[in-house]
């Protein structure tokens, strides 16, 4: 696992605070929390990769002897990552010791297996690659001012101001016609018939 320049700076600051306790700024606390999260994720990712490698190794071992080249390559990668060879690996390698690569890997695995047996007999159980441990509690960092607890603390929600309800405007009612006592005229009264024009007296006398 490699640290970047920024991560090393945060790590040195955290170690200095651990040795000489002193108040931390909010920014320093957030940096420490981010570094701790990155470390936890790296440990989990290493565990996932190790489990994938072991499962892949078992598939190649079951497909022997046709998968001898791939099995030997995967087994050497697993040994470099701290894999403790199992009895089934030793049995599979004995079938491949006719090749130079198989014999070399078999010799290496036998040496590691003997060292593991001696350690168990001596009462010291040695695990080449310890399982990923759960991340330790970081309650002190979380409880400090500016820590994640302060950021996650629910803030009281402000209720939006309610606008005053406007009363619906009433539609104007159509006015009823005002009754009158005057009768409605008939058409003959409103439009009397036209009378013929009466000739002047001069025309009557001449006639």
């Amino acid at each position: 696992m490699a640290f970047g320049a920024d991560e090393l700076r945060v790590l040195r600051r955290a170690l200095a605070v651990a040795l000489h306790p002193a108040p931390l700024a909010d920014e320093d606390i957030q940096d420490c929390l981010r570094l701790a999260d990155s470390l936890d994720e790296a440990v989990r990712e290493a565990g996932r990769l190790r489990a994938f490698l072991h499962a892949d190794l078992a598939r190649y071992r079951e497909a022997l002897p046709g998968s001898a080249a791939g099995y030997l390559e995967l087994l050497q990668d697993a040994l470099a990552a701290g894999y403790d060879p199992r009895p089934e690996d030793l049995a599979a390698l004995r079938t491949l010791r006719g090749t130079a690569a198989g014999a070399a890997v078999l010799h290496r695995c036998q040496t590691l297996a003997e060292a593991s047996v001696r350690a168990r007999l001596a009462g010291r159980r040695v695990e080449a690659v310890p399982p990923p441990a759960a991340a330790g509690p970081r309650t002190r960092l979380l409880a400090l001012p500016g820590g994640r607890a302060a950021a996650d603390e629910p803030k009281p929600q402000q209720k939006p101001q309610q606008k005053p309800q406007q009363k619906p405007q009433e539609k104007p009612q159509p006015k009823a016609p005002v009754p009158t006592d005057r009768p409605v005229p008939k058409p003959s009264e409103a439009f009397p018939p036209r009378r013929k024009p009466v000739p002047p007296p001069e025309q009557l006398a001449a006639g």
Side-chain angles (χ1 to χ4, degrees), residues 75 79 83-86 89-90 93-94 102-120 126 128:
L75 182 56
L79 294 175
Y83 176 71
D84 193 6
R86 300 175 182 177
D89 293 313
L90 297 175
L93 289 172
R94 291 189 184 98
V105 177
L106 175 61
H107 177 71
R108 182 180 178 185
C109 288
Q110 286 177 338
T111 303
L112 292 174
E114 290 174 2
S116 179
V117 170
R118 292 194 192 97
R120 285 195 296 268
V126 177

Side-chain angles (χ1 to χ4, degrees), residues 37-57 59 81 129-133:
D37 290 339
S38 299
L39 290 175
D40 293 344
E41 180 59 29
V43 171
R44 288 192 292 267
E45 183 64 21
R48 287 191 292 265
L49 291 176
R50 185 166 55 251
F52 176 79
L53 178 61
H54 292 178
D56 210 11
L57 183 64
R59 285 193 294 267
V129 180

Side-chain angles (χ1 to χ4, degrees), residues 143-190:
L144 289 175
R148 188 173 302 163
D152 296 342
E153 185 177 354
K155 298 181 179 179
Q157 297 181 357
Q158 296 181 355
K159 295 183 179 180
Q161 296 181 356
Q162 298 181 355
K163 296 182 178 180
Q165 297 182 356
Q166 297 180 356
K167 295 183 179 180
Q169 297 181 357
E170 297 181 357
K171 296 182 178 180
Q173 297 292 337
K175 295 182 179 180
V178 181
T180 58
D181 297 336
R182 185 177 179 180
V184 179
K186 297 179 179 180
S188 58
E189 295 177 354

Side-chain angles (χ1 to χ4, degrees), residues 2 13 16 25 55 66 92 96-97 104 133 142 160 166 170 175 182 198 207:
R13 189 183 308 164
L96 302 175
R97 59 185 172 185
L142 297 178
Q166 297 180 356
E170 297 181 357
K175 295 182 179 180
R182 185 177 179 180
V198 179

